Amino acid sequence: MELSNIKRVYLVGIGGIGMSGLARYFHQLGCVVCGYDKTPTDLTDSLRNEGICIIFEDKPAEIQMSFQQPDDSTLIIYTPAIPKDSAILNYFTNKGFTLYKRSQVLGLISANRFTIAVAGTHGKTTTSSMIAHILKDSGTDCSAFLGGISSNYQSNVLFGKNDIVVVEADEYDRSFLTLHPDVAVVTSMDADHLDIYGDHSHLTESFTLFASQIKQGGQLIHKQGLPLANGTTYTINGEADAVAENIRVENGNFYFDFKNNAVTISNICLGIAGLHNIENAVASIEVALRLDVSAEAIKSALESFRGVKRRFEYIVKSDKHIFIDDYAHHPEELRAAISSVKTLYPDKKLTTIFQPHLYTRTRDFADGFAEVLDMSDELLMLDIYPARELPIEGVNSELILSKMKMWNKRKCGKQEAIQIIENEKPELLLTVGAGDIDQLVQPLKKVFENVG
């Protein structure tokens, strides 16, 4: 397929964060872009406001006339999250269209560019966004396909005037194996997506394959301790090729010094909170230095970096109340979020609202979730968000609750959670999860605004 010939693009599952990025990319190129998704969201609203046509009924009769017959100028993209019995998906298949996964198209877009690919079971969205911001802010420039909405640019796709592209490399469904980067970053390789991989060893095998696909003369940068051969290592704890030192919190901001074999950058103020984000910053600095970005430009960019929506995002920050929202949905992500909150606000009582994501993940990591959630002072537990899965007998939110040692915990629905927060008005609130818990953010924000 020649991307330069494409004039029409249809995305089945257009509302996903990765799919919407491709929709914006092709729309920017002047293509006719349309798509289907199950439900309207803020993201699909944004796409429609930008001039992209979206339908929400899985009915082939709703598909635009220009997508009736396959030809060389029409591209159909789908996400593996769409059920195989989708009427629209089967319509395109039965009509003889060639269907491309999002990851395949991303591979084609990046194939002839200088590609920086960031992979990891967690940390990849913030790290790729951070790298892209450093390159943009320093004047080096880049294009970028991100797995979240950058708070600096209010978008998940950035357009540059050079051939550098920053790509979030997704391990789900082995999608990242379509990429052949010049620079690869691997932030983490914890057990996850075991519904796809079966066990941790197969996940590790995929990351090893990803690292082996770096172009000749390319570079691998990975967190210290990961089972990857060669490459430059980084850490915030102990020894590695690139490290953060003198980490401290001053006036609610995180500061640190960066040091590798050639450069020391002192007194860096990070524009977002969290020890895990200092680690992401160390990886990002290492990438930027290899693209000849100056130490001063890196330092300035990191101070102005505002993070990614739903990644340790401050919703309310006043003298009386702090409300942070985070996408964490794996025990290690939860540990990073809760630890960071505790580091910043050691004297405040922490109330956490958590929505488990997927039955398989809850089953596989129930013990880990229980251990980490016990770090909170109070827990409100929502039902599991099933996403693409059917229920598994005996696997529910109560499974995690039963393993926790904390006494101040309870199961509740979304509306009940809002009511509890309205009654208790906690001084420190953290909402975490990858499902539809984000629907609570605005109602909870209003609760705090009403109390002043």
Side-chain angles (χ1 to χ4, degrees):
M1 180 185 61
E2 284 293 331
L3 286 181
S4 57
N5 295 336
I6 299 302
K7 294 182 174 59
R8 289 174 297 279
V9 182
Y10 199 97
L11 298 100
V12 187
I14 193 170
I17 194 70
M19 292 285 279
S20 61
L22 288 179
R24 283 174 162 149
Y25 173 78
F26 284 106
H27 185 65
Q28 175 82 3
L29 292 181
C31 298
V32 173
V33 179
C34 302
Y36 156 77
D37 215 295
K38 190 176 179 182
T39 51
T41 62
D42 289 345
L43 190 47
T44 58
D45 288 348
S46 295
L47 295 178
R48 294 176 93 178
N49 289 337
E50 291 163 28
I52 294 170
C53 181
I54 303 176
I55 61 172
F56 298 101
E57 290 189 272
D58 192 15
K59 294 179 179 177
E62 301 286 323
I63 296 171
Q64 291 74 9
M65 288 296 294
S66 54
F67 295 96
Q68 299 293 319
Q69 296 296 331
D71 61 52
D72 290 342
S73 61
T74 302
L75 171 62
I76 311 298
I77 310 172
Y78 76 101
T79 169
I82 289 287
K84 289 184 172 56
D85 62 357
S86 160
I88 286 178
L89 196 65
N90 284 292
Y91 164 85
F92 285 121
T93 303
N94 295 335
K95 278 277 190 176
F97 286 89
T98 300
L99 274 63
Y100 291 84
K101 287 183 182 179
R102 168 191 167 267
S103 56
Q104 291 174 298
V105 177
L106 207 50
L108 290 167
I109 291 171
S110 63
N112 298 315
R113 301 188 182 192
F114 185 92
T115 303
I116 302 163
V118 184
T121 45
H122 38 264
K124 59 183 175 287
T125 300
T126 299
T127 305
S128 55
S129 301
M130 203 178 277
I131 292 168
H133 178 64
I134 293 171
L135 297 180
K136 282 280 187 191
D137 194 69
S138 66
T140 303
D141 204 11
C142 69
S143 297
F145 292 89
L146 309 172
I149 303 298
S150 162
S151 295
N152 287 88
Y153 306 97
Q154 295 301 311
S155 183
N156 52 344
V157 59
L158 309 180
F159 300 94
K161 294 187 169 119
N162 57 16
D163 73 338
I164 299 172
V165 61
V166 180
V167 175
E168 177 171 330
D170 190 3
E171 76 280 359
Y172 176 73
D173 199 30
R174 299 175 174 84
S175 293
F176 57 5
L177 297 183
T178 63
L179 300 170
H180 296 270
D182 296 271
V183 179
V185 179
V186 180
T187 61
S188 51
M189 290 167 53
D190 292 309
D192 200 2
H193 302 301
L194 300 186
D195 55 323
I196 298 291
Y197 287 100
D199 59 36
H200 196 183
S201 67
H202 286 99
L203 178 79
T204 301
E205 181 183 47
S206 271
F207 272 98
T208 304
L209 278 171
F210 167 72
S212 74
Q213 293 186 175
I214 297 170
K215 291 174 189 168
Q216 188 169 8
Q219 300 162 71
L220 172 64
I221 298 166
H222 65 85
K223 183 178 172 179
Q224 174 72 355
L226 297 184
L228 293 171
N230 305 317
T232 298
T233 59
Y234 68 92
T235 189
I236 59 169
N237 298 305
E239 294 185 3
D241 298 317
V243 298
E245 298 178 339
N246 194 21
I247 298 169
R248 60 212 184 271
V249 176
E250 294 177 8
N251 301 319
N253 294 316
F254 278 83
Y255 287 80
F256 68 100
D257 302 337
F258 169 89
K259 187 176 182 181
N260 67 10
N261 298 329
V263 178
T264 298
I265 308 175
S266 300
N267 210 35
I268 299 166
C269 176
L270 191 58
I272 55 172
L275 291 169
H276 58 300
N277 284 323
I278 290 179
E279 191 166 73
N280 295 333
V282 173
S284 301
I285 294 168
E286 190 63 32
V287 172
L289 288 171
R290 288 164 194 245
L291 272 72
D292 297 322
V293 181
S294 72
E296 283 307 310
I298 290 170
K299 194 170 174 180
S300 174
L302 287 175
E303 186 167 2
S304 67
F305 182 62
R306 293 295 168 257
V308 181
K309 295 287 184 187
R310 300 220 63 230
R311 267 62 170 192
F312 212 85
E313 182 183 7
Y314 278 93
I315 308 299
V316 175
K317 192 175 186 182
S318 68
D319 293 339
K320 293 182 181 177
H321 300 285
I322 303 291
F323 171 22
I324 296 166
D325 180 48
D326 195 272
Y327 188 71
H329 55 282
H330 181 282
E332 290 310 308
E333 294 171 343
L334 276 176
R335 189 187 306 279
I338 295 173
S339 297
S340 296
V341 172
K342 292 283 210 178
T343 300
L344 282 166
Y345 307 105
D347 301 324
K348 293 184 185 291
K349 175 190 171 186
L350 172 61
T351 299
T352 299
I353 306 177
F354 176 57
Q355 181 188 49
H357 184 258
L358 299 179
Y359 292 104
T360 50
R361 187 178 281 124
T362 303
R363 176 197 65 198
D364 296 336
F365 302 113
D367 290 336
F369 282 126
E371 177 200 335
V372 175
L373 289 168
D374 269 329
M375 294 164 63
S376 303
D377 299 300
E378 178 182 15
L379 177 72
L380 304 181
M381 176 78 79
L382 304 180
D383 279 319
I384 294 172
Y385 183 80
R388 56 190 177 269
E389 294 184 339
L390 295 172
I392 298 173
E393 189 176 348
V395 178
N396 49 37
S397 295
E398 288 86 347
L399 177 65
I400 299 172
L401 286 170
S402 69
K403 295 174 179 288
M404 291 177 62
K405 295 173 183 174
M406 178 203 297
W407 66 270
N408 196 2
K409 59 187 177 183
R410 55 191 137 165
K411 166 91 181 302
C412 62
K414 291 196 198 73
Q415 282 306 122
E416 189 183 352
I418 294 168
Q419 194 60 54
I420 291 168
I421 298 304
E422 195 163 7
N423 293 339
E424 296 185 359
K425 302 177 182 62
E427 57 180 350
L428 181 59
L429 176 65
L430 173 67
T431 50
V432 272
D436 60 2
I437 190 172
D438 60 322
Q439 294 175 0
L440 291 183
V441 170
Q442 289 307 314
L444 290 172
K445 183 180 180 182
K446 284 181 183 175
V447 167
F448 289 116
E449 286 173 345
N450 289 339
V451 299

